[in-house]
Amino acid sequence: MYCPSLRSLSTAALLLLQSGLPVLADIPITPDSLDSLTTAGMDIANPMMEFYEQNQTEGIPGKLTGTWYVAGSMMMTWIQFWQVSGKDQYNDVVKNDLMLQAGENYDYFSQNYSQWLGNDDQMFWGLAAITASETGFPEVSGKPSWTSLARAVFNMQVGRWDHRACNGGLTWQIWPYQAGYTMKNAISNGGLFELSARLARFTQNETYAEWADKIWDWSASTPLLNNKTYYIADSTSNENNCKDAGNHQWTYNYGTYLAGAAFMYDYTNKDEKWLTRVNGLLDATIARFFPTKFGGTVMSEVACEPVMTCDRNQLGFKGYLSMWMAMTAILVPSTADKITPLLKGNSEHLSKQCSGLTDNLCGVRWYQDSWDGVQGLEVQMAALGGITGNMMVLKNEQMKTIKTNPGADENHIETSDGDRPGELKPIQTGDRAGAWILTVLLILGIPGTVGWLIKTQ
Ligand SMILES: *[C@@H]1O[C@H](CO)[C@@H](O)[C@H](O)[C@H]1NC(C)=O
Ligand SMILES: *[C@@H]1O[C@H](CO)[C@@H](O)[C@H](O)[C@H]1NC(C)=O
Ligand SMILES: *[C@@H]1O[C@H](CO)[C@@H](O)[C@H](O)[C@H]1NC(C)=O
Ligand SMILES: *[C@@H]1O[C@H](CO)[C@@H](O)[C@H](O)[C@H]1NC(C)=O
């Protein structure tokens, strides 16, 4: 287990060593270099994990004050970062807490919290579990596999498919006594759509694909998802048989439908139908959340950032969309040219925004050149997701280079950080895990790039 006070000390010492200065300025980030992004990612992850420790409730690992799902989405983010960076110092705590929070029945519905949870809360833990499966995150011996936890979430949620109105859909809240029990929202339905699509691809079990299709079609029959303009409304209600709409625009709503469609494109072996949907959603996402007034290459939570009213949930959304855009670029290669510059743009901006106080605190307005004063777990997590999304597409580019140069060996990989082919690249600590995997892939002659970054069973 780990000890917060010692870890703060070592973080501080590390920061001192790295910068030579007690007060940090910008994090230097080269968005074309995995090494640079790895260092930046750790600079951002360290304070994130300190917030995580400080905000634990009643000593229960993974239960934070005033929220339950945020820890799950933080673990999802760490696992994705671990995969592309090889940095594993928080793996033990994430592994332990991700399993503990699965609860008594291993379904992320512990009786400690179940009486006040919404479908979207449980869904985020399910996405963390499928992320663990896809990345090959170490399993916990003697416990259910990550995949079986993700499946348990799916099984419970499809059991809650609501026929009282609107011909289906998932409600936001689970219990009649909660406000939101008659509301159907994009994150609950888009989240289950994404989880279904990822389970379909990972397990190759058609049941999940059928549900992904069904949730998409149902969503498109309501204002939640417009299948012509790809406008995603935030919510609609049973009372009006899902004809009304709450129209706030949120990055993560678009992200769930976008990523789910990308997984279905891959699962269906490049069905044109899903390509059309991916392209439509991607264009809508870019038009809304990469405003030209900020240069067009940095993501903004436009509904709350300009007026600084983002609540703790909203502070975290941009990180998810960053990683889900990266998955889209990997699974639907024709979108990579559009997505990659945006993810690099995010990193470039984070370099300046993550300059708060002495501990690389990140604010919420990625587009702003100096720290905006917001601090906490959620903004660190979002920034780590932003950096990770960039790393995912870079790693994918590297794998492609290998794929198209079958004769290359690990020391002669043309990387995207400007190394010339044939030049020996010194292997950095951060590269080792990656290099090792590359070698194994080369020896085994395993084709394909997606296989390593987003595994199937
Ligand atoms: C912990 O959570 C509370 C309640 O949301 C918040 O006010 C506080 O700032 C958090 N503390 C840290 C260190 O993140
Ligand atoms: C539920 O609460 C008990 C008692 O505080 C605790 O021991 C247990 O770890 C909690 N379980 C979860 C999943 O939070
Ligand atoms: C496919 O998944 C569904 C839903 O979890 C499950 O009921 C079914 O048994 C699975 N089928 C196979 C062949 O594993
Ligand atoms: C859009 O959704 C509606 C309602 O589900 C459906 O009837 C229509 O066929 C869909 N159009 C496309 C292009 O998928």
Side-chain angles (χ1 to χ4, degrees), residues 151 154-155 205-208:
R151 294 175 68 148
F154 168 90
N155 286 332
N205 174 332
E206 182 64 17
T207 305
Y208 302 116

Side-chain angles (χ1 to χ4, degrees), residues 50-51 54-55 65-66 312 376-377:
E50 302 213 356
F51 284 123
Q54 288 164 18
N55 227 326
T65 311
R312 78 185 294 181
L377 169 61

Side-chain angles (χ1 to χ4, degrees), residues 143 162 228 247 377 443:
K143 296 280 187 178
D162 172 42
K228 293 190 187 68
N247 283 315
L377 169 61
I443 291 168

Side-chain angles (χ1 to χ4, degrees), residues 302-346:
V302 292
C304 62
E305 260 175 35
V307 282
M308 278 292 195
T309 55
C310 304
D311 70 19
R312 78 185 294 181
N313 306 304
Q314 295 152 5
L315 294 175
F317 295 168
K318 295 198 296 294
Y320 319 142
L321 177 59
S322 302
M323 295 185 288
W324 296 338
M325 285 175 76
M327 289 174 187
T328 304
I330 293 166
L331 294 168
V332 189
S334 59
T335 62
D337 285 348
K338 244 184 218 176
I339 292 174
T340 304
L342 304 179
L343 297 179
K344 289 182 182 175
N346 284 342

